[in-house]
Structures are given as structure tokens and as C-alpha cells.
Amino acid sequence: MMYDVFCAVMGNKDNEDFIVELLNSILSESITEPIKHIENIDTRGEKSSTYSGLTFYDFRCVTDSNKKIIVEMQCYNDEYLMERMLIYLAKTFVSQLNNKNNRNSHNNKDNEQNKKQNNKRYKDCNQVYEILILTEYTYKQIEEYFEHAVLTGKRTKKEITDLINLILIQLPRFNKTLEECKNNKLDTAILFLKEGFNMNTLQLNNAKKTSTLFKKGSKALGWFALPEQRQAAAINNKMRIEGIKAAQEREKREAVEAARSEGRAEGRAEGERIGEERGK
């Protein structure tokens, strides 16, 4: 996946038609009614630069029946990905409440009225979907390329609430072709996430003939219409990020080896000390 292009496309409200198509495809097995439009796109960094390495978006969506849902979508690869995912999910869900009013509620003389207002705020909480796309690594506890997790009872195995939802997409575990994905919206969306940003013009044109998502996606991408200089800059940025990751991994390995060497040296010194004491 070309992160830089992904940032430019997903953070741009002008690409709403494509974003809605993509989200509806990813959530086709999860939501009961499709998303109609997006009220707002919130980002945690640069949202429209082809040079940005950030992929973190918060979509405030409205369905066909005017029901509101929140979809947070990000690409990440980290050993603490599940903990990070849960924190982002919790933050997004809690963001629906007016925290200031909630903190000052004990100072409100009209406690009964305040209680009613609080109850209404809780009642009006919208569904939240946290979509995490793994592009390089995989979560070893889940072997499937797609998983939708909700809060369920451990004993009853029944769903407790559908207000919080975790969506995990593991691109390295997905190996289907366009032909195999033809009649499946979810699989087509995952294929686009894995290959759509890397396809050449011919491949993308062929995919557009059989997929509405690829057709809308190719229009939103505009990647091949960019000047070569900007394409090269985006690619160089990706290589720079990969270089930083490699350097970090090398530092970790060197730190581990240094610790081992120090441990061996301490062990030898201790052994010599014990030997000298026994030889007296």
C-alpha cells in the first residue's frame, strides 16, 4: 500500500463518494444498513499531503435512515497493536459525551434535571467501529484475514452490545485475486487496500471493468496524474520511513547483544572470583 497516496485520498472530503463505497464494502458484513454520506472527517495530523506518512481518520457517518455511526480507520504495525486499538476505540466512544458538563454535574443544583440530561447523552451514543489495517505484520492470535469483534459474554457467548466494534484486517493473510473477489464486497475492499495503490494503469483499468469500488477508487487516487516529481517524492518518503524502521530494529538487536555480552562478562568475573576463593 502506498501510504502517502492513501493519506491524500482518505483525508479529502472531495473523495466522499469513494470513501463511502470503501467503508460500506469493509462493513458490508457488519452494519445493518449502508452509509449514505459522511458529515465530517477528523484527522490526527496531515490529511491531504502526498508526503504525509500518517494514516489515521475519524469518519462521522450517516446511514440511509439517518442513523449516525462513527468509523475510525488507521493503518498500523506495532507489537502493542491490540492495546493501542482498544485505547483508540475507548477514546472515540467517550468523545461523544460532553466531559465538561459531566465533571461539573455535582455542582448543579437541579440534580434531577442534570440526571435526565446525562441519561439522554448516554442513550444517544452512536455505534463506533475501529478499523485497524495491518499492512506488514499479523496478529498471531487471529489467523483469518478479517475479524469483527464485539463485546460478548464469556459464559453465555451472547452479544452484550453492538455499540463498540473492532474490525481487524490483516493484508499479509489475504491472497485472493480480483476474479475470486468478484461477488464479495468485503474481499474486493481488502484487495483494493492491498493492491489498489500499487497497480499500474493497465491493471487498474482492468479492475475498473468489474468493480465499482475500483472504478471510484481510481478516480479518487489520481496517482498516475501526479507529476513524476511528486510521485518520486512520495516514494522517497516511504523509503525514508522504512529506513527509520530498519534502523530502529538494528538498534534493538544491538542493545540485546550488548546486554548479552555484559552478562557473559559478569558471569566470567564471578566465576573467576569463586575459583580464586576455592583455591585458597
Side-chain angles (χ1 to χ4, degrees), residues 65-77:
S65 64
N66 290 322
K67 177 182 177 182
K68 295 185 179 182
I69 63 174
I70 301 172
V71 180
E72 188 166 273
M73 186 175 186
Q74 60 178 305
C75 300
Y76 209 84
N77 291 286

Side-chain angles (χ1 to χ4, degrees), residues 5 8-10 12-19 21 192 196-197 199-201 204-205 207-209 211-226:
V5 183
V9 172
M10 299 303 290
N12 190 341
K13 189 70 163 58
D14 292 339
N15 295 322
E16 180 179 1
D17 190 38
F18 161 68
I19 297 171
E21 183 76 26
F192 183 88
F197 295 87
M199 286 184 173
N200 59 40
T201 306
L204 202 55
N205 285 337
K208 284 163 54 179
K209 295 176 182 178
S211 169
T212 302
L213 176 63
F214 273 87
K215 186 175 182 179
K216 293 181 178 181
S218 63
K219 181 180 178 181
L221 280 172
W223 171 244
F224 302 107
L226 290 176

Side-chain angles (χ1 to χ4, degrees), residues 155-199:
R155 295 182 67 181
T156 63
K157 308 299 182 184
K158 293 182 179 180
E159 183 178 305
I160 296 175
T161 178
D162 64 352
L163 286 177
I164 54 175
N165 299 265
L166 296 176
I167 303 290
L168 180 65
I169 298 175
Q170 305 191 82
L171 298 186
R173 296 193 188 279
F174 184 82
N175 297 300
K176 292 186 178 181
T177 64
L178 180 63
E179 183 65 28
E180 294 173 314
C181 300
K182 186 181 295 184
N183 299 315
N184 189 301
K185 285 188 175 183
L186 172 61
D187 286 350
T188 300
I190 297 175
L191 178 67
F192 183 88
L193 290 171
K194 185 172 183 177
E195 303 293 347
F197 295 87
N198 297 317
M199 286 184 173

Side-chain angles (χ1 to χ4, degrees), residues 105-116:
S105 61
H106 63 280
N107 294 323
N108 195 325
K109 295 180 180 180
D110 192 354
N111 290 329
E112 189 62 32
Q113 181 64 26
N114 188 70
K115 182 178 179 181
K116 290 181 180 179

Side-chain angles (χ1 to χ4, degrees), residues 3 7 56 59 95 187 206 245:
Y3 296 102
C7 294
F56 192 106
F59 303 101
S95 69
D187 286 350
N206 288 335
K245 289 181 179 179

